[in-house]
């Protein structure tokens, strides 16, 4: 080994080691809270209530999961969250996809103002709109319903989804549509046969964003629902925090179970999600 290559190899090894340590640190910060939540959910209740409880329990138990599923309305909260997401995500995708195609392919008066308005809609704090949304839902008879909550979530997810899908639609060459027109395809056929398949990765990314927003949203779910039959998971889990007692066993067990649908959904769409986010960030 020459004296000139030794420092270079040492520098590369040090760089890789430093990168690995930094990556492990980031993973520890990201995954650490979930690991603690999982360990807490498997800790016996009497051990959690005792002073100086250890992070690693003396024995692992699934009693908190059994109690959560048998004595609490957790499954009702889970069903409500799935119902709200099943309504909000398709509504968001239909509206945002149509708006994105219109913004990308048609030049009309006020187009720039509409795009700026969609961007500004994301900047308002959610709490400022509680009173007005409550009046609208009450007027339409949708107060304290999963449908009303789903429509509110869809309304808040649509602006960002439109921006994301517009960036993706801008990257699609217009020559594809011109070729379809030459072959005699109508505007509806061009959108359905040519554009929508190419927009699918972007739609997966937008749908994932809408699902996560709907799944985790707490303020509107707390404000616009008041019954067990309509409450979603974030509100239901919050009820385990009492005035004088916090049921850490039930709270963490519910947290673990509520994360599973998100993880499974991400694993199913991860390839299309990454492709959609990358393509939507490039303007053609």
């Amino acid at each position: 080994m020459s004296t000139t290559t030794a420092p270079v190899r040492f520098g590369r090894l040090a760089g890789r080691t430093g990168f690995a340590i930094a990556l492990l640190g980031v993973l520890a910060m990201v995954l650490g809270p979930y690991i603690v939540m999982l360990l807490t959910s498997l800790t016996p209740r009497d051990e959690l209530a005792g002073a100086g409880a250890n992070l690693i329990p003396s024995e692992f138990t699934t009693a908190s999961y059994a109690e959560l599923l048998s004595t609490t309305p957790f499954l009702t909260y889970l069903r409500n969250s799935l119902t709200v997401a099943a309504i909000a995500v398709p509504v968001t995708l239909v509206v945002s996809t149509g708006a994105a195609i219109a913004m990308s392919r048609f030049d009309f008066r006020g187009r720039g103002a509409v795009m700026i308005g969609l961007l500004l809609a994301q900047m308002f704090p959610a709490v400022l709109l509680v009173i007005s949304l409550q009046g609208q839902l009450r007027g339409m008879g949708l107060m304290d319903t999963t449908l009303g909550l789903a429509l509110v979530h869809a309304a808040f997810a649509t602006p960002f989804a439109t921006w994301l899908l517009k960036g993706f639609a801008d990257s699609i060459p217009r020559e594809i549509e011109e070729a379809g027109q030459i072959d005699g395809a109508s505007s509806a056929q061009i959108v359905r046969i040519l554009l929508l398949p190419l927009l699918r990765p972007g739609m997966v990314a937008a749908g994932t964003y809408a699902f996560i927003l709907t799944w985790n949203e707490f303020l509107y779910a707390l404000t616009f629902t008041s019954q067990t039959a309509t409450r979603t998971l974030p509100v239901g889990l919050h009820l385990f925090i009492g005035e004088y007692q916090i049921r850490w066993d039930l709270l963490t067990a519910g947290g673990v179970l509520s994360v599973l649908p998100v993880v499974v959904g991400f694993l199913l769409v991860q390839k299309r999600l990454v492709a959609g986010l990358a393509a939507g960030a490039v303007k053609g």
Side-chain angles (χ1 to χ4, degrees):
M1 180 183 297
S2 64
T3 57
T4 57
T5 58
V8 175
R9 292 185 178 180
F10 178 77
R12 290 178 179 175
L13 180 60
R16 292 176 181 176
T17 304
F19 177 77
I21 294 174
L23 182 59
L24 289 176
V26 173
L27 288 176
M29 289 187 293
V30 173
L31 300 179
Y34 296 97
I35 296 175
V36 172
M37 180 173 63
L38 176 62
L39 293 174
T40 305
S41 68
L42 296 174
T43 303
R45 181 184 176 185
D46 54 352
E47 188 172 335
L48 286 175
N54 295 322
L55 178 61
I56 305 298
S58 57
E59 63 174 335
F60 293 98
T61 177
T62 58
S64 58
Y65 292 91
E67 183 179 356
L68 178 72
L69 297 177
S70 61
T71 64
T72 71
F74 176 82
L75 293 178
T76 301
Y77 301 146
L78 177 62
R79 182 194 63 201
N80 293 337
S81 288
L82 292 173
T83 302
V84 171
I87 298 173
V89 173
V91 170
T92 300
L93 288 179
V94 170
V95 176
S96 60
T97 301
I101 293 175
M103 297 293 178
S104 175
R105 290 301 191 258
F106 300 103
D107 189 10
F108 53 89
R109 181 178 298 179
R111 176 172 170 267
V114 172
M115 294 302 298
I116 293 176
L118 290 175
L119 183 61
L120 292 176
Q122 296 291 103
M123 298 182 180
F124 284 97
V127 68
L128 294 180
L129 303 177
V130 168
I131 296 178
S132 60
L133 287 173
Q134 188 175 28
Q136 294 178 39
L137 291 177
R138 196 177 300 278
M140 293 185 292
L142 296 176
M143 191 67 182
D144 202 9
T145 64
T146 54
L147 176 59
L149 184 60
L151 293 178
V152 171
H153 290 165
F156 274 85
T158 296
F160 178 81
T162 302
W163 268 94
L164 177 65
L165 287 171
K166 180 186 178 299
F168 196 91
D170 288 342
S171 66
I172 300 177
R174 293 180 180 267
E175 287 78 8
I176 296 178
E177 302 163 56
E178 296 173 356
Q181 292 174 349
I182 293 174
D183 292 337
S186 64
S187 299
Q189 289 174 327
I190 290 175
V191 172
R192 179 171 55 87
I193 299 175
L194 299 178
L195 291 182
L196 287 183
L198 296 175
L199 281 173
R200 193 170 298 162
M203 294 173 65
V204 171
T208 303
Y209 164 77
F211 176 79
I212 294 176
L213 176 68
T214 300
W215 194 260
N216 295 329
E217 201 280 325
F218 175 77
L219 176 62
Y220 292 143
L222 176 65
T223 307
F224 301 145
T225 59
S226 58
Q227 304 179 57
T228 301
T230 55
R231 285 173 176 150
T232 56
L233 275 176
V235 179
L237 293 178
H238 181 263
L239 296 178
F240 294 134
I241 303 177
E243 183 176 359
Y244 302 105
Q245 183 184 21
I246 300 178
R247 290 297 306 271
W248 289 112
D249 52 340
L250 299 181
L251 184 61
T252 53
V256 171
L257 294 180
S258 65
V259 168
L260 294 181
V262 180
V263 174
V264 172
F266 176 78
L267 292 177
L268 293 176
V269 303
Q270 59 175 331
K271 292 184 179 180
R272 292 184 179 271
L273 175 62
V274 174
L277 290 175
V282 178
K283 187 174 182 180

